């Protein structure tokens, strides 16, 4: 049993037995929320599992001088967001290896001093010149920081030590900006040094899509146009924009979630089996999926924005009333579209995707709706009883699990068929996990394994699909916003999108 759990925790079909080389994780933008809420808790979880090298340090870098309080603040984050007990025997030793360095991101002299500072840690802690730089900063700094690091010789691909750079999202805001950013970063780093993060790929349940498909003989033979009627992918959030008005005004649901998280999930659902689970094979298969998607007609897209409403018991304000949001904003907080993958496996199978804020509940799910059997032997005389197709749900969050519905005979003297559920729950089988997705990704980046990171071509392929939609939307601003109340399932037009194909969104 312990072994099984180990395999599941390390995901994507391979056991993670390697421990990274001695190294320093250098986090730019360390005063931001991500470091405290996600990154430090994730690093400490790795330490708890014995997956960090013995010689290891973390250095937070930001503009403000917060050296005096940084470590205590990070410990607070590890306890609060990582669910770690203050008395954990490994915590004190770990915190002793957390340091802070203040500099402006545009000051070359600061980088030179940082280089010396890190070299001092190498001397003290034996970290051997290896660096994982994590750029948890605003996107306008991605290229600049990378280039300044390179200028100081801190990311030299030819050096005997290694330097890997993790770049947070958003990676560009359209095809041109993503290309430009790729050019700027690739000018100083080799592609193998670049780790474009999408935290959805760190989620166990997203990795499990591949395990489900390719570690079982049962599903793959029917995973195609002969048996599948359509697929729905939903990333619904009940939260609003959580104080991120200026960011979200520029982003919107399509750039924030559909172009990256949802497209990544889609590639796992739709790709062909890779030759092996290495970065190059997996990336190749993902890329083939995105490139096979037909240009999306704007008539097959829907955008929405929430007005005031009730989410659960909470009264929610409308998007336009949120802090630092234009009261006449046309930014979409909901986006849905229909995609067609024109390849042998998927031709003719529509894929409907949607993402939105302030929806009825938080649920991310892939729903695969199978075709009806060729003949209905058990038609009911009761016109209210319809025969439901088999439905497979890959529940990414919350209540992580997999459910398969099928028809069963209702006990009794007549033959009535009712859908019932076969249900696998992660929590029941493996216990609750405190992992936040970043553990796996940080570990892989230290190991230099890019399998679960976005590749240059992939990022450009998804932007190539989405940019024409963004342009068409911008040319034709919405006149009906807000068009869904907070706490609902989104705009009516999203229902109409499926209705015109004689379908409706599966109930979540
Ligand atoms: C982020 C988006 O990338 O993903 C947020 O910027 C969104 O707007 C978040 O809320 C969703 O992530 P998760 O892990 O909560 O589903």
């Amino acid at each position: 049993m312990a072994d099984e759990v180990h395999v599941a925790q390390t995901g994507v079909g391979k056991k993670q037995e390697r421990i990274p080389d001695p190294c320093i994780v250098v986090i730019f933008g360390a005063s931001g929320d991500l470091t405290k809420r996600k990154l430090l808790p994730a690093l400490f979880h790795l330490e708890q599992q014995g997956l960090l090298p013995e010689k290891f340090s973390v250095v937070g870098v930001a503009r403000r001088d917060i050296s005096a309080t940084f470590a205590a603040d990070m410990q607070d984050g590890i306890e609060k967001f990582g669910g770690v007990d203050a008395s954990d025997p490994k915590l004190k030793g770990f915190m002793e290896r957390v340091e802070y360095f203040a500099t402006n991101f545009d000051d070359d002299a600061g980088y030179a001093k940082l280089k010396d500072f890190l070299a001092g840690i190498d001397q003290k802690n034996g970290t051997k010149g290896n660096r994982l730089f994590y750029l948890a900063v605003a996107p306008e700094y991605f290229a600049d920081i990378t280039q300044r690091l390179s200028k100081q010789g801190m990311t030299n691909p030819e050096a005997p030590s290694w330097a890997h750079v993790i770049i947070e999202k958003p990676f560009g805001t359209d095809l041109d900006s993503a290309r430009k950013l790729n050019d700027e970063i690739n000018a100083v780093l080799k592609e193998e040094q670049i780790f474009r993060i999408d935290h959805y790929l760190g989620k166990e349940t997203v990795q499990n899509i591949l395990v489900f498909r390719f570690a079982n003989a049962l599903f793959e033979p029917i995973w195609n146009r002969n048996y599948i009627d359509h697929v729905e992918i939903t990333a619904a959030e009940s939260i609003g924009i959580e104080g991120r008005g200026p960011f979200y005004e520029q982003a919107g649901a399509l750039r924030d979630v559909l172009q990256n998280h949802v497209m990544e999930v889609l590639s796992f659902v739709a790709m062909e089996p890779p030759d092996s689970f290495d970065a190059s094979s997996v990336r190749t298969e993902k890329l083939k999926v995105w490139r096979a998607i037909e240009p999306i007609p704007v008539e097959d897209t829907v955008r929405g924005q929430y007005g005031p409403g009730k989410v659960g018991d909470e009264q929610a304000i409308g998007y336009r009333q949120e802090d630092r949001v234009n009261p006449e904003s046309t930014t979409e907080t909901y986006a849905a579209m229909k995609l067609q993958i024109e390849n042998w496996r998927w031709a003719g199978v529509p894929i409907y995707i949607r993402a939105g804020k302030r929806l009825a509940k938080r649920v991310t799910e892939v729903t695969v709706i199978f075709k009806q059997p060729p003949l209905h032997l058990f038609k009911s005389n009761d016109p209210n009883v319809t025969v439901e197709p088999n439905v497979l749900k890959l529940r990414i969050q919350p209540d992580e699990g997999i459910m398969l519905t099928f028809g069963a005979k209702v006990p009794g003297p007549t033959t009535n068929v009712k859908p019932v559920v076969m249900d696998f729950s992660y929590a029941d089988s493996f216990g609750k996990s405190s992992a936040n997705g970043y553990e796996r990704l940080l570990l892989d980046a230290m190991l230099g394994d890019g399998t679960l990171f976005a590749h240059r071509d992939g990022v450009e392929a998804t932007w190539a699909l989405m940019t024409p939609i963004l342009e068409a939307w911008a040319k034709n601003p919405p006149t009906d916003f807000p068009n869904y109340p907070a706490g609902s399932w989104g705009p009516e037009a999203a229902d109409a999108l499926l209705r015109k194909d004689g379908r409706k969104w599966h109930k979540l």
Side-chain angles (χ1 to χ4, degrees):
M1 183 67 190
D3 228 1
E4 279 169 34
V5 172
H6 178 68
V7 174
Q9 281 175 346
T10 55
V12 199
K14 61 183 162 190
K15 288 194 180 192
Q16 195 90 55
E17 276 149 356
R18 281 196 301 144
I19 304 281
D21 299 329
C23 64
I24 308 178
V25 174
V26 185
I27 305 171
F28 279 81
S31 54
D33 252 14
L34 186 77
T35 310
K36 176 175 181 171
R37 283 173 178 261
K38 306 276 187 184
L39 304 183
L40 264 292
L43 287 169
F44 185 69
H45 288 155
L46 291 174
E47 171 79 349
Q48 283 180 314
Q49 295 165 70
L51 292 170
L52 287 184
E54 209 184 301
K55 299 184 189 310
F56 173 81
S57 285
V58 181
V59 175
V61 181
R63 277 165 287 220
R64 280 184 290 143
D65 185 7
I66 46 171
S67 348
T69 50
F70 185 69
D73 199 28
M74 292 303 113
Q75 179 164 342
D76 188 46
I78 292 172
E79 290 169 20
K80 207 146 97 205
F81 303 111
V84 171
D85 201 282
S87 62
D88 188 293
K90 290 194 168 175
L91 193 54
K92 187 163 172 288
F94 180 83
M95 293 316 303
E96 280 164 5
R97 288 177 283 156
V98 175
E99 310 208 27
Y100 184 78
F101 186 88
T103 183
N104 280 329
F105 296 154
D106 57 358
D107 171 18
D108 279 333
Y111 286 77
K113 285 189 198 137
L114 173 64
K115 185 180 181 182
D116 293 344
F117 183 76
L118 299 178
I121 296 179
D122 284 339
Q123 293 281 322
K124 191 170 65 177
N125 294 353
T127 35
K128 296 203 165 157
N130 298 318
R131 314 275 185 255
L132 174 62
F133 295 104
Y134 197 119
L135 307 193
V137 295
E140 60 264 32
Y141 293 109
F142 292 158
D144 194 42
I145 293 178
T146 312
Q147 286 169 350
R148 287 177 198 274
L149 286 170
S150 159
K151 203 160 144 194
Q152 297 299 328
M154 293 159 89
T155 56
N156 179 3
E158 311 305 335
S161 54
W162 52 257
H164 301 159
V165 182
I166 296 188
I167 297 176
E168 257 296 334
K169 67 179 280 263
F171 198 91
T173 53
D174 58 15
L175 180 56
D176 284 347
S177 57
R179 270 196 188 132
K180 181 165 175 280
L181 186 52
N182 273 328
D183 287 344
E184 288 166 341
I185 292 171
N186 283 80
V188 292
L189 296 177
K190 287 199 166 155
E191 182 63 28
E192 300 75 56
Q193 292 180 281
I194 307 170
F195 295 80
R196 298 173 193 79
I197 210 160
D198 183 312
H199 77 281
Y200 266 56
L201 294 179
K203 291 182 191 281
E204 297 289 356
T205 39
V206 173
Q207 294 167 29
N208 194 45
I209 296 173
L210 295 186
V211 175
F212 176 79
R213 290 188 54 202
F214 302 134
N216 296 293
L218 202 55
F219 305 102
E220 208 42 33
I222 56 166
W223 206 255
N224 57 48
R225 63 191 307 278
N226 297 326
Y227 296 92
I228 294 179
D229 179 77
H230 70 283
V231 177
E232 297 171 18
I233 304 180
T234 302
E237 296 184 87
S238 53
I239 55 170
I241 54 163
E242 308 233 283
R244 298 191 302 159
F247 160 76
Y248 204 84
E249 277 286 88
Q250 301 301 317
L254 192 154
R255 288 191 172 94
D256 189 35
V257 172
L258 270 200
Q259 177 272 335
N260 38 75
H261 305 326
V262 173
M263 292 304 274
E264 288 289 349
V265 171
L266 167 64
S267 71
F268 276 17
V269 170
M271 73 189 217
E272 295 303 314
D275 298 341
S276 73
F277 276 108
D278 59 46
S280 139
S281 315
V282 172
R283 284 168 170 181
T284 304
E285 294 309 332
K286 286 167 60 174
L287 191 58
K288 284 200 227 159
V289 172
W290 293 321
R291 288 194 174 155
I293 297 175
E294 288 279 281
I296 307 155
V298 74
E299 309 77 65
D300 285 349
T301 69
V302 172
R303 57 189 152 159
Q305 187 193 72
Y306 61 85
K310 216 163 170 205
V311 185
D313 294 334
E314 189 199 337
Q315 197 60 44
I317 54 173
Y319 177 70
R320 290 178 174 184
Q321 288 81 53
E322 300 273 7
D323 183 29
R324 293 177 294 161
V325 164
N326 177 351
E328 288 170 15
S329 173
T330 54
T331 299
E332 84 284 357
T333 59
Y334 178 101
M337 55 187 72
K338 171 179 159 181
L339 309 177
Q340 300 275 3
I341 306 176
E342 284 306 309
N343 65 15
W344 201 262
R345 187 190 284 262
W346 294 110
V349 180
I351 317 270
Y352 302 97
I353 62 177
R354 58 178 168 169
K357 299 256 182 216
R358 284 294 191 214
L359 296 179
K361 60 178 172 183
R362 173 177 183 247
V363 48
T364 305
E365 187 171 294
V366 177
T367 314
V368 180
I369 295 92
F370 289 90
K371 291 189 169 165
Q372 295 277 5
L375 185 69
H376 287 309
L377 285 177
F378 306 113
K379 268 198 204 131
S380 171
N381 293 331
D382 179 348
N384 294 320
V385 178
T386 52
V387 181
E388 298 291 328
N390 296 116
V391 175
L392 178 78
K393 292 179 177 214
L394 305 171
R395 174 70 64 90
I396 289 164
Q397 60 190 20
D399 308 330
E400 290 79 355
I402 298 179
M403 278 146 275
L404 179 67
T405 61
F406 58 95
K409 181 183 176 302
V410 180
T414 55
T415 304
N416 278 330
V417 181
K418 208 182 147 195
V420 292
V421 182
M422 264 196 313
D423 199 349
F424 152 70
S425 143
Y426 258 79
D428 291 350
S429 299
F430 298 119
K432 271 251 171 262
S433 162
S434 58
N436 67 19
Y438 281 89
E439 282 89 344
R440 173 66 191 263
L441 298 176
L442 282 160
L443 184 62
D444 280 4
M446 282 184 250
L447 290 165
D449 181 348
T451 314
L452 297 176
F453 291 85
H455 185 258
R456 168 175 192 142
D457 299 339
V459 168
E460 291 181 13
T462 51
W463 276 125
L465 281 167
M466 296 299 171
T467 301
I469 303 300
L470 288 167
E471 286 169 355
W473 283 359
K475 243 191 241 152
N476 189 7
T479 49
D480 62 344
F481 277 9
N483 60 356
Y484 69 97
S488 69
W489 275 110
E492 210 291 317
D495 294 337
L497 178 71
L498 271 71
R499 208 164 38 235
K500 72 181 179 198
D501 292 346
R503 301 189 171 96
K504 56 180 190 215
W505 293 101
H506 212 80
K507 202 163 170 274
L508 299 172

